[in-house]
């Protein structure tokens, strides 16, 4: 069934100012299997977000903003392989975060087994320990792990901010689905580029 649908109006702002001490960056699943040629579940446009995320991380780290990563993590025989095939098996090359965005010593890496970065992980507890209220969410896949993590954050009343040049999806439809849900349903703030994110 091929059907053309109109994307509803989605609000995207130029700039947002965030309190550095109460903000964290979450880099979702920027792992070789999703990002690099030869990866088992390649998102072709994910590589284009690497320089954007890198720039955001440099800015954030220079202002003392806490950085979190989620790492999709599966073990042999995981039921998710029936849906997606094998991917990000713990300990393999594909499971590693891409070299360009390697976590630094003070960053926190959270391993997750499903789309939602909060589900069955210590993420919520860790964010609360550090007094975080605002989450800048980046990474891949926009309508899967990014959206589920953003939605789960919003349900817990974190304020979600997503720079739209720092997320990627398997196709344009999926990308706009994610933007629509983050804007309309979760009342997140979509920002045009990572340059529009200002830490105070
Ligand atoms: Zn997975």
């Amino acid at each position: 069934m091929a059907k053309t649908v109109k994307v509803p109006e989605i609000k995207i702002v130029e700039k947002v100012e965030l309190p550095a001490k109460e903000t964290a960056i979450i880099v979702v699943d920027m792992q070789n299997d999703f990002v690099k040629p030869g990866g088992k579940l390649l998102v072709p446009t994910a590589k284009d977000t690497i320089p954007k995320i890198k720039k955001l991380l440099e800015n954030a780290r220079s202002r003392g903003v806490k950085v979190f990563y989620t790492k999709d993590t599966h073990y042999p025989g995981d039921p998710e392989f029936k849906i997606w095939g094998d991917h990000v098996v713990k300990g393999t090359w594909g499971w590693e975060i891409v070299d360009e965005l390697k976590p630094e010593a003070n960053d926190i890496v959270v391993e997750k087994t499903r789309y939602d970065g909060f589900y069955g992980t210590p993420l919520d507890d860790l964010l609360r320990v550090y007094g975080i209220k605002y989450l800048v969410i980046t990474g891949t896949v926009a309508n899967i792990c990014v959206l589920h993590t953003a939605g789960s954050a919003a349900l817990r009343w974190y304020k979600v901010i997503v720079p739209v040049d720092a997320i990627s999806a398997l196709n344009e439809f999926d990308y706009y689905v994610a933007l629509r849900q983050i804007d309309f349903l979760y009342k997140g703030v979509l920002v045009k580029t990572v340059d529009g994110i200002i830490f105070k």
Side-chain angles (χ1 to χ4, degrees), residues 72 74 80 87-88:
D72 200 30
H74 298 298
E80 229 186 65
H87 64 286
V88 294

Side-chain angles (χ1 to χ4, degrees), residues 18-144:
L18 299 168
K21 285 194 173 67
E22 295 179 327
T23 302
I25 312 294
I26 301 188
V27 180
V28 175
D29 298 5
M30 288 297 281
Q31 294 158 268
N32 290 323
D33 265 349
F34 299 120
V35 181
K36 292 286 177 169
K40 293 207 161 139
L41 202 48
L42 187 67
V43 180
T45 56
K47 65 176 185 314
D48 304 332
T49 67
I50 293 175
K52 316 284 182 179
I53 297 171
K54 199 175 160 72
K55 198 171 179 189
L56 176 69
L57 289 177
E58 281 164 7
N59 182 17
R61 288 187 174 116
S62 76
R63 305 305 305 266
V65 171
K66 200 89 191 137
V67 176
F68 287 76
Y69 290 79
T70 66
K71 208 170 174 187
D72 200 30
T73 300
H74 298 298
Y75 298 87
D78 192 300
E80 229 186 65
F81 296 166
K82 290 198 182 74
I83 309 171
W84 301 105
D86 286 23
H87 64 286
V88 294
V89 173
K90 187 163 180 168
T92 63
W93 167 82
W95 175 69
E96 297 295 343
I97 291 166
V98 297
D99 281 341
E100 297 90 329
L101 303 174
K102 273 271 175 279
E104 295 189 356
N106 292 330
D107 300 340
I108 297 177
V109 180
V110 173
E111 292 181 15
K112 65 176 185 56
T113 55
R114 299 244 58 203
Y115 311 144
D116 173 1
F118 289 85
Y119 179 79
T121 76
L123 181 58
D124 187 41
D125 191 46
L126 289 164
L127 293 169
R128 287 176 197 283
V129 163
Y130 289 102
I132 303 300
K133 297 190 173 78
Y134 302 85
L135 297 180
V136 180
I137 302 179
T138 66
T140 205
V141 180
N143 64 311
I144 309 175

